[in-house]
Amino acid sequence: MKQLSGIARSVQVFFRQLSGVPKTEASPVKRKTLGVALGGGFARGMVHIGVLKVLEEAQIPIAAVSGTSSGAIMAAGYCSGLSATQMAEIGRRLRFKDFARWTLEPGGFCSNDRLGAFITRTLPCKDFTEMRTPLVVVATELLSGKPAIFREGPICEAVRASCAYPGMFTPVSHNGLLYVDGMLSYEVPTTPLKEMGIDCVLGVHLQSKWNPAKAPGHFFDVIGQCFAIAQTRMSLQWEKDADLLLHPNVDDFAFDDFDRGAELIAIGEASMRAALPQLKRVLGIAEAMEVPVKVKDLPAAVTQTVRPSEAGTVA
């Protein structure tokens, strides 16, 4: 009996000691950071508004946004604090004359000095240091041909430099250097975001013919189509740096189709919604069942192929 009583006391002591051992809590899983890289495309750049709108609705935080050419305008607006809805309202009223002025200067047929006034008038923030979301604007140094990565200084000059399309717009002079369009450096500026340490980069590529279904009608058409051809051969590095890549179908839109802004925004929305489950998987936000995207379920202008590539991208 004494032996049993001793065993019982030993068991009690064991469990008291066991209950006093502190529990180790599992460390929280760190969510991957998301960067969004917006490519150029003149009026077609309004597709980006739809992409950003869907990300807002899904409450997916964006750590940084980069932009090239018209993508730089959209990136600056978003990072400055404008909502996608506000940007859509501005985009619907935007016309070519709002940022371009004909000129007789030898460097181009147009000046984009009006774009600087538009940026200053429209954006809540005027300098990179004021941005509510980190912003990267990409241009190209004209003389050296090197990429120009803007992360500080006045927003309007950086965006103007990024949008100085060669042959159409005169080069932009800033801090003693001449700059032209960022599409010559990164058609979709994914690489600068990776260099910042962003975990997951979503790229939006607006590849299309300059003016589809007809022969070039003037000088701008010839330049634009030549650049479109060249850009298909310049995609190696920036594509590798995209973890997810959208290719919204904008083939039916001309470079100056600003009056079709609502259609372009809708294409961006549908494109992003189709890729949202895969983006969530890449970010580790939630387990999402893969739902096949059927071509017949999307409007004709929105049709895109969703496929994984070597870099985990979607095209």
Side-chain angles (χ1 to χ4, degrees):
M1 192 69 179
K2 290 182 179 180
Q3 188 176 7
L4 288 174
S5 193
I7 293 173
R9 282 196 298 272
S10 299
V11 171
Q12 288 174 352
V13 170
F14 171 77
F15 278 107
R16 277 200 300 270
Q17 291 176 343
L18 186 64
S19 61
V21 176
K23 295 180 180 179
T24 57
E25 295 183 2
S27 57
V29 178
K30 182 183 176 182
R31 176 179 289 185
K32 292 181 179 179
T33 54
L34 172 65
V36 181
L38 306 177
F42 279 82
R44 304 177 186 112
M46 283 189 278
V47 164
H48 300 316
I49 298 174
V51 172
L52 293 168
K53 183 180 178 183
V54 172
L55 292 173
E56 268 188 358
E57 292 172 353
Q59 297 183 340
I60 297 177
I62 299 174
V65 185
S66 63
T68 287
S69 200
S70 61
I73 301 174
M74 302 305 168
Y78 185 83
C79 292
S80 189
L82 294 176
S83 68
T85 301
Q86 290 173 311
M87 292 171 63
E89 184 58 34
I90 295 169
R92 290 186 183 98
R93 300 195 306 266
L94 191 64
R95 296 294 182 269
F96 187 76
K97 63 181 177 61
D98 293 323
F99 56 84
R101 175 179 59 83
W102 297 106
T103 180
L104 296 177
E105 295 179 32
F109 287 95
C110 300
S111 168
N112 68 6
D113 53 0
R114 288 182 181 175
L115 175 60
F118 172 81
I119 293 292
T120 301
R121 183 174 66 251
T122 306
L123 267 57
C125 303
K126 317 302 179 189
D127 192 274
F128 278 86
T129 57
E130 302 170 3
M131 287 288 151
R132 300 176 188 181
T133 301
L135 169 68
V136 180
V137 172
V138 176
T140 305
E141 290 184 17
L142 178 58
L143 298 184
S144 69
K146 296 178 181 179
I149 312 299
F150 291 95
R151 294 192 179 95
E152 58 184 23
I155 298 298
C156 63
E157 294 306 310
V159 173
R160 283 190 61 212
S162 184
C163 294
Y165 198 86
M168 176 178 284
F169 293 107
T170 56
V172 171
S173 177
H174 181 56
N175 290 337
L177 294 172
L178 289 176
Y179 296 97
V180 290
D181 201 293
M183 292 179 73
L184 293 173
S185 296
Y186 297 110
E187 190 175 356
V188 181
T190 57
T191 304
L193 292 179
K194 279 296 184 183
E195 291 173 347
M196 289 172 61
I198 297 295
D199 298 320
C200 173
V201 175
L202 168 67
V204 186
H205 182 220
L206 303 177
Q207 176 64 46
S208 70
K209 296 179 180 178
W210 179 258
N211 261 328
K214 63 179 181 179
H218 48 67
F219 177 72
F220 293 153
D221 282 351
V222 174
I223 291 180
Q225 185 62 11
C226 289
F227 270 96
I229 294 169
Q231 283 159 4
T232 61
R233 297 168 173 81
M234 294 166 54
S235 61
L236 294 178
Q237 183 57 51
W238 66 258
E239 278 199 19
K240 290 179 181 177
D241 286 329
D243 297 282
L244 202 66
L245 188 58
L246 299 184
H247 289 284
N249 189 335
V250 291
D251 284 343
D252 293 333
F253 294 84
F255 78 98
D256 56 352
D257 271 341
F258 290 96
D259 57 342
R260 299 177 68 186
E263 296 174 67
L264 288 160
I265 292 169
I267 288 173
E269 287 188 52
S271 224
M272 188 66 251
R273 288 192 204 285
L276 198 56
Q278 186 162 351
L279 176 62
K280 287 183 177 181
R281 285 194 296 274
V282 173
L283 290 173
I285 291 177
E287 291 294 328
M289 292 180 63
E290 186 162 355
V291 180
V293 179
K294 297 180 181 179
V295 172
K296 66 179 181 180
D297 292 337
L298 298 177
V302 180
T303 302
Q304 63 174 355
T305 306
V306 181
R307 58 170 175 79
S309 72
E310 291 181 1
T313 62
V314 168

